[in-house]
Amino acid sequence: MTDGRAPVIAVLGSINMDLVTTTDRRPQPGETVLGSGFAMVPGGKGANQAIAVGRSGGQVEFIGAVGGDVFADGLRAVLRDSEVGTARLRSVDGPSGIAAIVVDADGENSIIVVGGANAALTELDDDDLAVIASVDILLCQLEIPVPTVAAAARHARANGTIVVLNPSPARELPPELWADVDVAVVNSGEFTALGAALDPVPHVVVTLGGDGARYRGPDGQELSVPGTAVEVVDTTGAGDTFTGALAVSWDRGPAEALRFACAAGALATTRLGASASIPHRAEINAALGDAHPAP
Ligand code: RIB
């Protein structure tokens, strides 16, 4: 696909400021618990995946929106600092997206996302469409309006761009969108919930948390990659890291791509905060114990 050069990837999706509290255990309904820490860390599934692409060695352009509030500059900066192209990042009136996140002592989280500027991404302009048509892979999630994702996937399919969809958070999707997806990346809960909706998708990758990931290909081929044992601090953004790293390695074939993505995702759980935890290629290679060749 890429003839030895770094894959060029467009990520269409959300960017949020994550408001992260840490606590021994997450509260029950109606309960107040004492927390042990607070941090503001840039996140959002789209931005996390774009940063993961950039740090894994891919060339990446982000299509998204920030608001006109105090968070906007920091959100733009984290993309720029991670070598993510921001020419298609709009500024709109109103608040940026935020996520209220609680992380417990086991590193498990609960997240509420308030879309803010992400909800304003209702139209793709000619420049967005030109980017989507020119890249190797379009990578999308579901924290922006679904019709925008569907329009992008349709345009990508029409122009020979591979479409990778991480359908998270789970939402009702039109069947036409599934018909334009080449690769779906889902967790085990999403896999069960989506059921037959995934049947038209040629490549399905299921993330299994600490147990690694499995793959089902168009010819019925199946394979599994085991998890890596790590000390888990925070699982936030681990799936996004997996997805970005998978996209960068996709042209190496599913076995190698899953292996690279599992190592990247595992490393992301060892630090607090979504974008702050995403590893660089050298760290992933070191964890794999090999010199995963440059893309
Ligand atoms: O997948 C993790 C992300 O989900 C967080 O960064 C948060 O912003 C939400 O979008």
Side-chain angles (χ1 to χ4, degrees), residues 174-192:
E176 319 80 80
L177 172 52
W178 288 116
D180 289 329
V181 175
D182 296 289
V183 185
V185 183
V186 293
N187 63 30
S188 50
E190 290 158 353
F191 180 74
T192 304

Side-chain angles (χ1 to χ4, degrees), residues 90-142:
R90 299 108 163 105
S91 289
V92 301
D93 290 339
S96 298
I98 65 100
I101 301 182
V102 184
V103 180
D104 68 20
D106 295 326
E108 294 297 338
N109 61 51
S110 302
I111 304 179
I112 299 173
V113 174
V114 181
N118 300 302
L121 210 57
T122 54
E123 301 283 341
L124 296 170
D125 65 21
D126 288 347
D127 291 333
D128 299 324
L129 294 172
V131 168
I132 290 167
S134 69
V135 296
D136 301 305
I137 293 176
L138 170 70
L139 182 50
C140 305
Q141 327 71 33
L142 300 179

Side-chain angles (χ1 to χ4, degrees), residues 150-234:
R154 196 176 321 126
H155 189 69
R157 169 58 63 95
N159 286 278
T161 298
I162 294 171
V163 177
V164 179
L165 177 66
N166 170 218
S168 181
R171 298 171 73 171
E172 187 88 10
L173 295 182
E176 319 80 80
L177 172 52
W178 288 116
D180 289 329
V181 175
D182 296 289
V183 185
V185 183
V186 293
N187 63 30
S188 50
E190 290 158 353
F191 180 74
T192 304
L194 287 165
L198 289 169
D199 287 352
V201 180
H203 305 271
V204 177
V205 177
V206 185
T207 58
L208 304 170
D211 293 328
R214 67 171 193 267
Y215 164 83
R216 186 267 288 152
D219 46 7
Q221 181 199 358
E222 294 194 358
L223 62 88
S224 294
V225 171
T228 314
V230 289
E231 191 86 7
V232 175
V233 172
D234 175 16

Side-chain angles (χ1 to χ4, degrees), residues 14-18 41-46 48 98-99 101 111 113 143 168 236-240 274-275:
S14 60
I15 181 164
N16 302 327
M17 185 58 81
D18 290 354
V41 186
K45 294 183 193 307
N48 294 339
I98 65 100
I101 301 182
I111 304 179
V113 174
E143 286 184 339
S168 181
T236 311
D240 299 329
S275 61

